[in-house]
Amino acid sequence: SAELCLLPALTGLLQPLPGPGGPGPAEVGLGALPAELRAAVRALVGDLDALFTALGLREESFAVGALSRVIAAELASYAPARNRRRMATNKASVVFVDRTLDLAGAVGHHGDNLAEKILSVLPKLPGHKTDVMVNMVELTALQTTDETCSIIAPGCLAQPNDPAAKALWESFMNLKQKEAVMEARRHLVEAASRENLPIKMSMGEVTPEQLSSYIQLFKNNLKALENHCGLLQLVLATVQTLKHPQTSKWDNFLAFERLLLQTIGESEMPSVLNQLLPMIKSYNKRTKDDYTCEDFLILLVYMYSVVGEIKSGKELDAAEEEVKKALVKAICDEPEPSPVLRKIT
């Protein structure tokens, strides 16, 4: 038997269901959804049936959340799926989960994990959803200050043919950031030693500058570059992430979220919103360390997700109104709104 957990939101189905005046969540069926969402649900059901056919599965479906119930019901009544279930030999339990039930998990900045930071701050590799572009200019003789230099092909995180790189990526995912960065240095030193490069091992804290100086040793040695190209791409990803301005903001997010979790039990939501208010600044008043409009939207989603049920009242209404005004002004003052802000407005 097998267990599959499917998050409908990951397939682009993160959509609001009908609100007041429409059917309640328990009554929502496919017919109650907007036409575009109905088409997306039917396409997903068809894709799932094709997957289960290829795996020879006879599934038993479970759903957590309103949209998941719609998808599970549609799959149960889908004619090709009924025929497949009669013929299939392998049993599977399929659990559909609405991602909206855990928005805090989707927008939170979780712990001290280097892999998550790399995936969040470096630009996406074109055509890929889960890999990033690593700038490789540092390993060449090209002199450029253009961070988006496209003359040199980018590196990436997926290194299936390099055992050292695979082991290092495991460290990035499983160790704390400080330990993961030390692993990056250790792997580099071992690689340099095997190539007889003149490396000087230093103890203490690992800095991005130190890793860069080690990487430079490989620069003019084509054989060493070829032998350790996968490892060098991961270490370059580390250097670029540690130097990225978004990384310090990540740490600020994490500190705010931890503080919020500690105080939300004692403080009412209005006081938390009032603390947030002075931090909302318009474009011309922001420094690079201040939160952007998108950052505030993420913080608000996190706050309202972790706080659970909120006691409504005049104080909360007044605090929310002030935050709305400040946020709307900040959004209107953006000279070049991001794609997310443009979509919202």
Side-chain angles (χ1 to χ4, degrees), residues 60-100:
E60 186 178 8
S61 295
F62 301 88
V64 183
L67 183 58
S68 289
R69 278 197 295 276
V70 172
I71 295 170
E74 190 65 14
L75 181 62
S77 60
Y78 187 54
R82 285 204 298 265
N83 296 333
R84 168 181 49 76
R85 284 192 290 268
R86 280 199 293 270
M87 307 291 292
T89 53
N90 301 321
K91 285 185 178 179
S93 298
V94 183
V95 184
F96 294 91
V97 183
D98 276 14
R99 191 65 190 265
T100 43

Side-chain angles (χ1 to χ4, degrees), residues 114 164 167-172 175-190 206 211 231 235 238:
L114 185 57
L168 184 57
W169 180 246
E170 291 283 334
S171 302
F172 287 179
L175 300 178
K176 288 187 179 295
Q177 178 177 314
K178 187 176 179 181
E179 296 164 353
V181 173
M182 289 178 75
E183 275 296 289
R185 178 172 68 181
R186 184 180 69 79
H187 277 281
L188 260 191
V189 169
E190 286 181 4
V206 186
L211 292 177
L231 177 66
V235 180
T238 303

Side-chain angles (χ1 to χ4, degrees), residues 221-263:
N221 189 322
L222 290 179
K223 192 65 181 170
L225 268 177
E226 188 180 349
N227 289 343
H228 305 285
C229 191
L231 177 66
L232 291 169
Q233 287 174 66
L234 286 191
V235 180
L236 276 170
T238 303
V239 170
Q240 288 158 28
T241 298
L242 294 176
K243 286 182 173 180
H244 201 284
Q246 196 65 29
T247 300
S248 60
K249 196 175 278 188
W250 177 290
D251 294 330
N252 293 342
F253 264 112
L254 185 56
F256 183 90
E257 288 164 9
R258 284 177 173 166
L259 184 65
L260 180 70
L261 291 175
Q262 289 168 3
T263 60

Side-chain angles (χ1 to χ4, degrees), residues 14-62:
L14 187 55
Q15 299 261 357
L17 290 170
E27 309 150 36
V28 168
L30 191 66
L33 303 182
E36 191 179 339
L37 187 53
R38 281 202 302 275
V41 168
R42 288 191 178 113
L44 176 62
V45 166
D47 290 344
L48 288 172
D49 180 59
L51 172 66
F52 296 162
T53 300
L55 296 173
L57 294 184
R58 183 171 78 252
E59 82 281 0
E60 186 178 8
S61 295
F62 301 88

Side-chain angles (χ1 to χ4, degrees), residues 183-203:
E183 275 296 289
R185 178 172 68 181
R186 184 180 69 79
H187 277 281
L188 260 191
V189 169
E190 286 181 4
S193 300
R194 280 200 294 275
E195 300 294 337
N196 295 317
L197 299 175
I199 195 156
K200 292 179 182 176
M201 179 61 177
S202 55
M203 304 305 289

